[in-house]
Amino acid sequence: MAITHNLGFPRIGARRELKFALEEHWRGELPAPALLELAAGLRQDHWQLQGELDWQPVGDFSLYDQVLDMSVTLGNLPARVRDLGGDELTAYFRTARGRAPGDAGDSVVAAGELTKWFDTNYHYIVPEFSTDTRFSLDPSRLLAQIDEARGQNVAVKPVILGPLSYLWLGKAKDGSDPLALLDGLLPVYAELFETLGRTGVEWVQVDEPVLVTELSETWQQAYLRAYRFLAGRGPKKLLTTYFGRLANNLELALSLPVDGLHLDAQANQDKLESLAAGLPDDRILSLGVINGRNIWKSDLNALLDRLEPLHRQLADRLWLAPSCSLLHVPVDLTSEQQLDAEVRNWLAFARQKLDELTTLATALNQGRAAVAEALQANAEALRSRRESQRVNRVDVKARLQALDASWGQRQSPFAERIRQQQDRLRLPAYPTTTIGSFPQTSEIRQLRRRYRQDELDERRYRACIQHEIARCIREQEALGLDVLVHGEAERNDMVEYFGEQLDGYAFSQFGWVQSYGSRCVKPPILYGDIQRPKAMTVDWIRYAQSLTDKPVKGMLTGPVTLLNWSFVRDDQPRSVTCFQLALAIRDEVLDLEQAGVEIIQIDEAALREGLPLKRSQWPDYLDWAVDAFRLAANGVADTTQIHTHMCYSEFNDIIDAISRMDADVITIETSRSDMELLAAFDRFRYPNDIGPGVYDIHSPNIPSHDQIVELMAKAGRRIPAERLWINPDCGLKTRGWPEVLPALENMVAAARTLREAV
Ligand code: GLN
Ligand code: ZN
C-alpha cells in the first residue's frame, strides 16, 4: 500500500476568509473569540478537503506565520514583546506587526523582521536570538489543534519546523552565532517530541528545508549531533526537505537517525532508484511527486511509470505527497469560472493536486485500471497543452532563434552615451525625478473598477485616465521636478498590467497566494509563448509628453520581474520564457523611442528575488537575467536614456550583475540604510548614473530639506556628484497627495541647495 499525506495546506481560505477576518480583528471590529472560531472553521474545512489522504497535517495552520508559531512553541518571542504582558494572541500580533488591536503609545513595539521564505514569495517572521536566549516549551497551540483534529477523525500528523532550520532562519541581534544555542534548544525539542508521543501521535513531520542549501561542515555536524540527541524520543520522525535537490546533504540526511525521509522527487529524480534500493528496512521514503510550487497538472502516467517499480520494492514504505507545503498555490480551481476553458484544463490548484495524489496512490495500490478514466483525462489534458498553438508559437520560437549578441549591445559605451544624452536632455546637476507611480486615490481605483465591470466605456475611461495624467503632470511641473512621469493611474499592478496585454498570459479570479500575514498576491499565469499584439503604454506616455516641455519617462516592467512575479510554465527553461518576455518589452521600448520618448525606465524590482537557493547557481541565473534585461533595453539609440529601478537595499553580492545591465541610470532604495549601500557601488566602481532614494515611501513621515541634503552629501562621498540623481526610494502609489507634495517640495529644494554648491 502506497501511503498518501500532505505537508501543509493553504490557510488563507478559498475566498481569503482568514485575511478579511484578521484585518477586521486588527481594526478592532472582530473580537478574538470570533477570529479564533473562524480559524477553527477553516481548519475543519481544510481537513475535510484532505480527507482522502492517509495522513493529514496538523499544526500547519497559522494565524500569521508558521515560523512565528514555532517561536511561540519554543518560548522565543522577543523580550520587548514579552515585557509588555497581555495574553498570548496579543503578544503574537505584537511580534508580527508591532501592535495588537487597540495598542497605542507605549504598547507599540518594533515588529519582527520579515524575510523571504527560501526562494518563494512567502515571507516569515525572523526568530530573534542573542547569547542570552533561553527556550522553554509551550506546546499548547499544537496540542489544541491535535485535539481539535481528533474530534474530526483526522489522521493526525503534526508538523513542526526542525531545530536546525529554526536556528538557521533566525538572526542573532548581538551578532552571536545562533548555532551556539543548539545545546539549549535540543532539550526543548526533546520535551516537545515526548509530549507528542504521550498523546499518542504516531508520526511527526519535522521540516528541515535548510538541508537543500549548501551547508558548511559545522552545520552538517550540528545536524548529526541534534538528531542523535533526539533519536528515539517521542513519535516516529519524518525528516522533511523541500525546495530543491539535497545534493551534498543527501548522505547526511540518510545518516540521521529518523524514521523517514521526504524529498522533492523532481529535484532529486536521478537518486530515486538508488535511494529505494539502499533504504534500511525500518525507514520510509516519502516522495514529493506533485509539484507544490506551480499550478500545472502533473503527468500522472509518466509518474506511474517511474513509481510502479519503486512501489513494488518498498510497498507501504513508499509515501507520496506534494513536493512541499501547498501554501504556495491557490486553493481551488473549481472557483475559476471565468478562466479560459482550454487553459483551465491544464491547471491544478491545491485541491486538484491532492486529487492527483489520490489517483496515483489508487493506481499503485489497485492497478491503473481502477483509475483508468482519470488517467485518460490527465493524458488528454497534457496532450492538449503540449499541442496547443497558443502554447507553442512558431513565430515566437523563430524570432528567439534568430537572436544574436548584438541585440543586447548598446551602440557606444556609457561615457559616450551619457554625453549625447546630456546634450539632448539639458538636465541640471542633481536631476530630480520620481519612480513612476503617483498616489492611487480611491477615485482612480474606482475608475478602473468601473471600467472592468463595463460600467464605463473605453472612451470615457480614457478621458478619465487622461484627466489623472494631466493632474499628475501639472503637479510635477509646479513642484519643479526635472524628469516627469505619467503616474501609472491606469495600472493596477506592475505585472498584471503588462500580462493582460500580452498573449501567453491568463488571469485567475481567486488564485490568491499568501505573501505574508494577511497579504496575498494573485500571480498571473504565464502559459504560452509570449507575443505583444500591440503597443501597451505608448498612447499614455505620448499624451503625458504632449502636456509638458520637460522629458516624461516611459515606464515599463522588466522581463525578469514579469517572470519572477508570475506562475510560469514548466515545459521550457525559465530563461527561455524570460527572453520571450524581453523581446516583447524590447518592442515596446522601440515603439516608445519611435514616439519620441527620450527616457525609458524598465523596472526590475524582482531581480534579486529570483536568486536560486544554492549560491553555486547564482552566476547562471544572473547571466541570463542580465542578458534578458539587455535584450529588452539595448536596442535604442545612444541618445535615448535607459533607466532601471530596484527597490531593495542589498546589492553587495549582485553589483557585478547590476553593472552588466548597463542602464544609463539606476534608481534604488537607500534612505533607510542611510546611504550605506552605496559603499558597494563605490567599492565596485559602478560606472553609470545612480539615483539613491532619499524619501522612504513606506513611511508616512515627510523627509525635511536638511535630511535630504545630508543624505545626498553622504552619497556624494561615495559617488561623484555629476553621476547622482535625486528621487524617492520607490513609487508613490501607496501614499496620499498631502504627504507626497511636501516631501517632493523638500526634495526639489534640496536639489537646488546642492546645485548652488556645485
Ligand atoms: N514604477 C513602479 C512604481 O513606481 C515601480 C514599483 C516597484 O519598484 N515596486 O510604482
Ligand atoms: Zn521600487
Side-chain angles (χ1 to χ4, degrees), residues 435 605 645-647 729-731:
I435 306 304
H645 165 71
M646 294 177 195
C647 38
D729 270 347
C730 191

Side-chain angles (χ1 to χ4, degrees), residues 427-495:
L427 296 171
Y430 296 103
T432 52
T433 190
T434 61
I435 306 304
S437 56
F438 267 80
Q440 293 244 330
T441 58
S442 50
E443 296 86 75
I444 294 182
R445 290 173 200 281
Q446 207 188 333
L447 265 181
R448 284 198 311 258
R449 200 173 322 117
R450 287 175 56 210
Y451 176 55
R452 254 168 211 277
Q453 293 167 355
D454 284 331
E455 289 169 29
L456 209 60
D457 67 22
E458 172 88 24
R459 204 180 45 84
R460 280 288 300 150
Y461 173 72
R462 296 195 80 84
C464 293
I465 294 287
Q466 286 188 345
H467 182 78
E468 293 296 337
I469 292 177
R471 172 192 187 176
C472 191
I473 295 288
R474 215 166 42 240
E475 296 287 7
Q476 293 173 85
E477 289 217 300
L479 285 161
L481 287 156
D482 300 305
V483 172
L484 312 192
V485 296
H486 77 296
E488 302 183 22
E490 79 287 10
R491 299 182 195 179
N492 161 45
D493 173 278
M494 64 189 285
V495 173

Side-chain angles (χ1 to χ4, degrees), residues 680-708:
F681 288 80
D682 184 14
R683 191 150 7 106
F684 289 88
R685 311 210 166 286
Y686 180 80
N688 303 6
D689 280 13
I690 307 179
V694 291
Y695 167 15
D696 175 7
I697 59 93
H698 300 290
S699 152
N701 300 339
I702 292 162
S704 71
H705 165 275
D706 293 357
Q707 281 168 339
I708 296 174

Side-chain angles (χ1 to χ4, degrees), residues 237-274:
K237 296 180 196 71
L238 178 65
L239 183 76
T240 303
T241 70
Y242 38 84
F243 299 152
R245 204 175 150 73
L246 275 160
N248 290 340
N249 299 327
L250 181 57
E251 293 281 299
L252 171 66
L254 287 171
S255 70
L256 299 177
V258 290
D259 308 277
L261 174 65
H262 171 88
L263 44 77
D264 178 333
Q266 198 176 359
N268 294 282
Q269 52 177 307
D270 55 328
K271 299 283 185 214
L272 304 186
E273 282 73 19
S274 59

